[in-house]
Amino acid sequence: LEQPLFTCGRCELRDPTNLKMLAIFAVTFVVALIGAVVYFYSDGSRKRKTSIPGLDPTDAKNGNLAEMGAEGTVHEFLMKLHKTYGSIASFWYGKTFTVSIASPELFKEHMGVFDRPCELFEIFLPLYGKSSVEFTNKAEGKKRRIMYDPAFAHTSLGNYYGTFNELARELVQKLSAIPKDEHVSLMHHCHIVVIKALTRTSFGNYFDSEEIVNTFRQAYNDCWYDMERSLTEGLHVKGSDREKKFNEALEVMYGIVRNVMKERKTNPTAGHQRFIDVLLENELPEDQILSDCISYMVGGFHTSGNLLLWILYFLASNQDCQEKLHQEIKEVLGDGEVDKSNVKDMKYLRQVINEGLRVSVLAPYTARFQDNDSKLGGHVIPGGTPVWHALGVALKDEDLWPEPEKFDPERFSVANFTPRHKMAFQVFGFAGKRVCPGKFFAYAKMAVFVALLCRDLKFNLVEGQNIEQFYGMVTSPKSEIWFHLEKRG
Ligand code: HEM
């Protein structure tokens, strides 16, 4: 047996290059076929552990991974599971009995739970490193969040609006120079602008250099796509060319973070404490600093970059919403910039961002566990059982959101939103004071980018495209989205 790398307080996490479960998870259709055969011939002899309705394992080792593979993605599997069994349902994630919840009432019952089962994000282990906050539970996990959260809290955001506006103006200028009839893919632009926003505000002047940003983005992309590839092909094999490429890219990212650390130590700037300064001033071990810098960057890049792209896509496909938004922005900003006092006057902008978060289902699920037996929805949950929060299933629940696929920012007007259950809209997680630490930061930068882009440009879709969502680690479009842009005014 491989030696455990570390434990999250519930289970031991082993070197994922040797993890059979990851490899199995990666096999989609072949395993689905085997799974279906096993399903039809199995006697379902594994005993149900609780009164929670759900799937029996179709295979002793692989549980219901075959069914997951057959649905294509975890989110689609959870959609089907909850449609069949209701808002609390169970399945087998490999050998692990797992519960999933998907209603505001059940979310509310689970609000106090902090610890996250480490296997949920183990695919990221080679990228984050084992010291990452993502894998840190119990008192140490809570201590870290208390230490780190202020750098991204409301109170710090005022320091970041200047950078966000500058980056938004730069992007508007770049896009305005593109001829009206040219077909433009915006994914690259959206990713670059959010990478710059997070690195410049949270890691300092080292990222002012365009060259460093591009080098970092290339290395980050290589690592990210290797991780995404793991979902369908299994993790890179030791000694393979794929592993070599991943390690080289990882070294570039870690090298840049080490340089940032050196630069901040030798040239500390006065004033606001950035995320990197918090890590350095608390004299944390180097492996923790490196792991957490990478975790926050990875946590913030694809989520925010894809969100910006999805919002522009939804606005381009709903021109009446785009016009309403443009009018509001002109009225509130005129030719000025977004700051923390005028941002709250752009109410429709906030509605557009919320509806963009809901329809895109950016981060479809997370999970928690408790050491001891507990109760949920009237059922007993045995101690140690992972409870998945099917955030995406609740966002697409037609009882909560009629016509759930329709992009309709009016759902978030005060009149329409107030009667809803408070827990119906949970895109950043909700449990145990471990919601996404980048929540307010993400809203602020999205507000600035969408406001300046939609004030100065009109976004149109190239006709004849069929855009579908791929609910991977972060939800992305299955193919490039092509726009053409018109300069306003
Ligand atoms: C645009 C939108 C974003 C969405 C939808 C999103 C969503 C999420 C979700 C659902 C979680 C899991 C929370 C839980 O387990 O309850 C999470 C965790 C996390 N997010 Fe975000 N996120 C976004 C932006 C960001 C940004 C900008 C950053 C960086 C500043 C970030 C950094 C992280 C980190 C580090 C964690 C793990 C925290 C921990 O383990 O305690 N995210 N995010």
Side-chain angles (χ1 to χ4, degrees), residues 116 134 145 152 296 299-300 303 366 368 427-429 434 436-438:
R116 191 189 291 129
E134 299 269 0
R145 288 297 304 265
F152 296 101
Y296 273 69
T303 43
T366 183
R368 293 290 186 271
V427 282
F428 293 97
R434 200 178 194 170
C436 169

Side-chain angles (χ1 to χ4, degrees), residues 7 82 89 107 109 157 206 240 251 314 446 452 455 475 477:
T7 170
H82 286 291
F107 289 170
E109 280 188 51
L157 293 180
Y206 191 74
S240 63
E251 204 27 64
F314 294 135
M446 230 27 71
L452 295 205
R455 180 187 62 192
T475 303

Side-chain angles (χ1 to χ4, degrees), residues 33-315:
L33 204 63
I34 300 165
V37 174
V38 177
Y39 178 81
F40 286 119
Y41 292 97
S42 87
D43 61 4
S45 57
R46 215 107 146 229
K47 269 207 144 174
R48 184 150 290 285
K49 279 190 154 189
T50 68
S51 54
I52 299 170
L55 294 169
D56 288 319
T58 48
D59 178 90
K61 259 192 278 171
N62 305 333
N64 301 115
L65 294 178
E67 287 89 328
M68 223 178 238
E71 289 309 317
T73 61
V74 173
H75 171 65
E76 283 154 312
F77 167 77
L78 293 174
M79 287 288 285
K80 189 165 177 191
L81 182 82
H82 286 291
K83 195 165 186 216
T84 312
Y85 296 104
S87 56
I88 181 161
S90 63
F91 64 97
W92 292 78
Y93 188 66
K95 286 184 183 168
T96 310
F97 176 74
T98 303
V99 172
S100 177
I101 54 173
S103 75
E105 294 77 14
L106 290 162
F107 289 170
K108 192 168 178 215
E109 280 188 51
H110 224 226
M111 266 179 82
V113 190
F114 183 87
D115 293 332
R116 191 189 291 129
C118 58
E119 71 257 29
L120 194 74
F121 290 122
E122 68 189 342
I123 201 148
F124 287 106
L125 184 62
L127 181 56
Y128 291 160
K130 64 182 167 43
S131 311
S132 163
V133 65
E134 299 269 0
F135 305 120
T136 309
N137 283 325
K138 315 276 180 228
E140 170 60 22
K142 291 179 187 167
K143 191 174 121 196
R144 271 199 217 181
R145 288 297 304 265
I146 290 170
M147 194 192 307
Y148 298 172
D149 280 1
F152 296 101
H154 255 315
T155 41
S156 299
L157 293 180
N159 301 297
Y160 304 145
Y161 276 96
T163 307
F164 296 161
N165 278 289
E166 197 182 312
L167 291 169
R169 277 199 316 269
E170 217 176 77
L171 182 56
V172 167
Q173 209 173 7
K174 210 177 268 177
L175 297 181
S176 301
I178 299 173
K180 189 180 156 193
D181 47 3
E182 201 162 294
H183 293 186
V184 192
S185 155
L186 294 177
M187 168 115 50
H188 172 81
H189 295 288
C190 291
H191 281 189
I192 283 284
V193 79
V194 303
I195 289 179
K196 285 182 178 171
L198 182 63
T199 50
R200 286 190 194 168
T201 54
S202 307
F203 296 91
N205 302 349
Y206 191 74
F207 281 99
D208 286 353
S209 147
E210 199 79 23
E211 196 189 332
I212 303 274
V213 170
N214 285 332
T215 310
F216 192 83
R217 187 208 179 223
Q218 187 54 53
Y220 161 76
N221 262 4
D222 289 345
C223 289
W224 176 268
Y225 289 117
D226 185 277
M227 298 284 96
E228 285 235 301
R229 217 172 137 184
S230 305
L231 289 172
T232 50
E233 294 173 32
L235 211 84
H236 47 246
V237 175
K238 270 195 176 139
S240 63
D241 282 352
R242 209 183 122 193
E243 191 209 30
K244 199 168 151 240
K245 190 171 177 202
F246 175 85
N247 284 341
E248 280 169 8
L250 192 63
E251 204 27 64
V252 171
M253 286 173 76
Y254 275 80
I256 290 178
V257 176
R258 280 195 199 97
N259 287 344
V260 171
M261 287 164 66
K262 235 186 272 161
E263 202 248 4
R264 296 302 291 176
K265 271 186 199 159
T266 45
N267 285 321
T269 44
H272 170 67
Q273 256 208 337
R274 295 162 199 263
F275 178 63
I276 184 72
D277 302 330
V278 174
L279 301 176
L280 292 173
E281 279 171 26
N282 281 283
E283 295 179 353
L284 305 173
E286 188 182 91
D287 65 323
Q288 182 180 329
I289 299 184
L290 288 170
S291 275
D292 281 342
C293 286
I294 299 290
S295 304
Y296 273 69
M297 287 170 172
V298 175
F301 286 177
H302 254 78
T303 43
S304 313
N306 286 8
L307 177 59
L308 182 58
L309 179 64
W310 280 122
I311 290 175
L312 297 177
Y313 165 70
F314 294 135
L315 290 170

